[in-house]
Structures are given as C-alpha cells and as structure tokens.
Amino acid sequence: MKKEFLSWFLLVFLSVIWGSSFILMERSMSPLGNEMVLGPFQVGSMRIVIASLVLLPIALRHIKKLNKENFGWLLITGLCGNFFPALLFTLAETGIESSLAGLLNMGTSIFVVLIGILAYKVIPNKWQIIGMIMAIFGLFKIFWNQIHFESNNLNYALLVFIATICYAISLTTIKYKLSHMKPLVITALSFLMILLPAIVVAMFTKAYQPIVQHELGGLAVGYLIILSVVGTALAVFMFNNLVAISSPIFSSGVTYLIPIVAVLIGVWDGEQ
C-alpha cells in the first residue's frame, strides 16, 4: 500500500511540475510574452547544461558504475529522455501555444504501449488497451479542433510527437534495461552523458550572449533556472523513481494529467 500511495503521489506531483514546464519554456524564450530573448535551441541546450551541472557531483560520485554494459542504455536515456525533447519542445512552442504542446504530450502513453509490445513483447491488459484507444481518439479530436493547416502549425505539432516517441523510448529503456540501477544514479549519469552535446549546442547558438546583453536576459535566465532545476533535474529524478516502483504504462499516465495543468495555466496566461 505504501508503494502504491507513493506512486500516485509522484504521478500527481510530476503532473504539476511538468504541466507548468510548458509555460516556463515559453517564458524562458519570451519573458514578457512579446519579444523573444532566447531562441529555442538556446533554451533547450542551456536547460540541459544547468540541470547536468546540478547533478554533476552525484554523477562523479557514481562514475565507476558507468560501464560497457550500461553505457549505451544510459546514453539512450539521456538523449531520448532529455536532450532531444528539450530542443524539440522549445522549437515547437515557437509555432504552437504552450497549452497545446502540453495536450499533445499525452501521445507518450500511446508510444509506451506500442514500444512495449514491439520491442519487449509486453502485452497490455484490456483496460490498458481501452485507455490507449481513448487516448488516440482524444489526440485525433485535438488535431481536428486545434491544428490549423493553413498556418503551418502542423509541423510544430509533429515535433511534439517526435519528442513523445523519444520519451517512450527512454521510459521503456529505464524499466527494462536499467532496472538494476538506482533512479538517482540513472538520472545523474544519463545527464552526464549529454552535458557535452548540450554545451556544444549552447556554444554554437551563442546562448550566453542574450543572457548578458539583453535587458530582459536576467528575467529569461530566471525562468530557465527554475525550468532546469525543478522541471528537469528534480522532475526526472522523481520520474525515474516512479518508473522503478510502478509499470511503464502507469508511469506514462502522467501525460494524461499534465495537459490539465498545462491548459489551466495556458488559459490563465491568456492563451486560446
């Protein structure tokens, strides 16, 4: 019962944290909502750099646990669970509203089921199948009502779907390939693996310039630090704990609750 309560607590708590991360991404790029200070790749890369540096002391303490057996799986977890989604979501939010990005994020649960079936031969029960069908229907309705083909925001919506596939790959990898490792170690080492690529992207896009030179740079980096420390480093650690004590399908259920938070915040912020 204790484990079940903890699972539900983490599920709800993560929903609040990640549900608010979409508006934080938007505010990191445009602190006042009208002028872009940081570009999407600047925010995405700096988000990973800051989160990785926060977790670096833990990663260095457990560096000996990084070996040839888990190197590839940790790299997949880092790239698919954090690096690529961080870039894809910020880029998507330059073309669609943060609340819509939060809604589309529930595609993760669908891909978790599909990857579980295809890669790990995990057969979902009838209720999980019904849930997946409902999710597919919900996503279809969202696309039908919210995606405007004439404004070309379909391409930005597809970026979110690519990110959800990445999330599903990472989630199933943690559960079926890294279950022997502690969640904190998985989190720290997977971020260590993507620190250098994130630094390269940040340097290539000159992410430091707007932070120093723009008058709103300090406000933008304030939102970015909250996004990186709470919405990334802490949240990923908590999510890896959730995956460790529950099933991948239950863990992916967070993507059904995230849209509630994302939409409420979006409405409060004046989004349509």
Side-chain angles (χ1 to χ4, degrees), residues 48-75:
I48 298 300
V49 170
I50 295 171
S52 299
L53 291 177
V54 169
L55 293 165
L56 186 59
I58 301 172
L60 294 178
R61 194 165 74 237
H62 295 282
I63 193 70
K64 292 182 179 179
K65 296 179 181 178
L66 188 62
N67 52 50
K68 62 181 181 179
E69 282 77 24
N70 59 36
F71 182 92
W73 300 121
L74 286 168
L75 181 60

Side-chain angles (χ1 to χ4, degrees), residues 41 43 102 145 153 169 181 183 241 262:
F41 291 138
V43 169
N145 292 310
N153 64 357
I169 292 172
M181 299 180 70
N241 268 285

